[in-house]
Amino acid sequence: SYDTNSIRGRILADTDWGLWEADLYHNATRADINLLLDENTGLTTLFGVDNRITVGKLNNTFKAGPDHTFRLSGEYRAGTNIFVGKDALTTNNLDQGSDLSYEILGFGGLWDWAINDKLNSSVAVRYDMFDLNKEGPTNNIFINNPLNPADLGITEDDFDSQDRNELSLNLGLVYKATDHDTFRLTAAR
């Protein structure tokens, strides 16, 4: 079986302080998967995956004079994957499934500059703070599955606290040579 639920709320407000956008949504999916383990014997296992994600965003886009547009943004994202299943060999229910969850908190800014009627530049920066958490044993994430994290080289240490924060930078320069010809130069990290 496969069930999906979603809810979303969004507000836009054009104010004296710029265009504000607030966005909040939640998605939830439940999938029960019957996985064939052995074609010769027909051995299968049933496991379920619950996936949930919640995202909240706030953006403000404003102009500073006729040639400069700025956007400031913040985002919070939280996701959870819950894996539960039945051991194919013993047919015992595995109540001790594993939960993987993460949280991301990000802040960003954009500066768009219309240098003249033919040349435009943009500079965007974003900083994301990422936290990954796990409850339950790693080998129960995919029960009797060839995609078991241990078989993929993923260890318990991969879920421990590590620096997963990331700074992203995007630069762009657009030159409109004619009404039909545009040249773009971009760089990103």
Side-chain angles (χ1 to χ4, degrees):
S1 69
Y2 187 85
D3 296 313
T4 301
N5 299 293
S6 183
I7 188 167
R8 183 178 185 184
R10 187 173 177 212
I11 298 173
L12 295 171
D14 196 356
T15 70
D16 292 340
W17 302 287
L19 178 64
W20 289 87
E21 177 184 4
D23 193 8
L24 178 64
Y25 64 88
H26 177 79
N27 296 328
T29 302
R30 167 69 187 191
D32 293 320
I33 300 164
N34 195 6
L35 183 66
L36 178 63
L37 298 175
D38 188 334
E39 289 182 18
N40 296 327
T41 64
L43 182 66
T44 63
T45 188
L46 178 67
F47 69 96
V49 178
D50 282 318
N51 176 272
R52 300 178 196 132
I53 185 168
T54 302
V55 177
K57 300 183 211 178
L58 181 62
N59 295 311
N60 178 237
T61 304
F62 58 94
K63 290 189 81 66
D67 301 328
H68 301 276
T69 303
F70 295 91
R71 183 178 67 229
L72 301 175
S73 63
E75 178 177 340
Y76 173 76
R77 179 177 298 259
T80 302
N81 290 294
I82 302 169
F83 302 91
V84 294
K86 182 175 285 202
D87 187 312
L89 300 176
T90 65
T91 67
N92 294 327
N93 287 326
L94 297 174
D95 295 329
Q96 75 279 8
S98 294
D99 295 2
L100 294 177
S101 62
Y102 68 89
E103 290 181 304
I104 299 172
L105 183 60
F107 300 97
L110 166 76
W111 171 35
D112 187 76
W113 178 22
I115 299 168
N116 58 42
D117 61 341
K118 292 194 175 278
L119 191 60
N120 191 39
S121 74
S122 63
V123 176
V125 177
R126 181 177 166 109
Y127 186 72
D128 289 299
M129 296 169 278
F130 179 77
D131 185 36
L132 178 66
N133 298 296
K134 181 191 69 63
E135 292 181 22
T138 302
N139 62 356
N140 279 351
I141 292 173
F142 292 103
I143 297 153
N144 291 326
N145 185 324
L147 295 179
N148 187 317
D151 296 336
L152 297 173
I154 299 172
T155 68
E156 294 287 333
D157 292 338
D158 292 319
F159 296 99
D160 290 339
S161 188
Q162 296 179 23
D163 182 14
R164 293 185 178 92
N165 300 339
E166 188 72 34
L167 178 67
S168 302
L169 178 63
N170 291 293
L171 306 170
L173 195 59
V174 178
Y175 176 66
K176 188 169 182 171
T178 69
D179 288 341
H180 302 289
D181 299 310
T182 301
F183 297 94
R184 298 178 193 276
L185 176 65
T186 59
R189 180 213 171 289

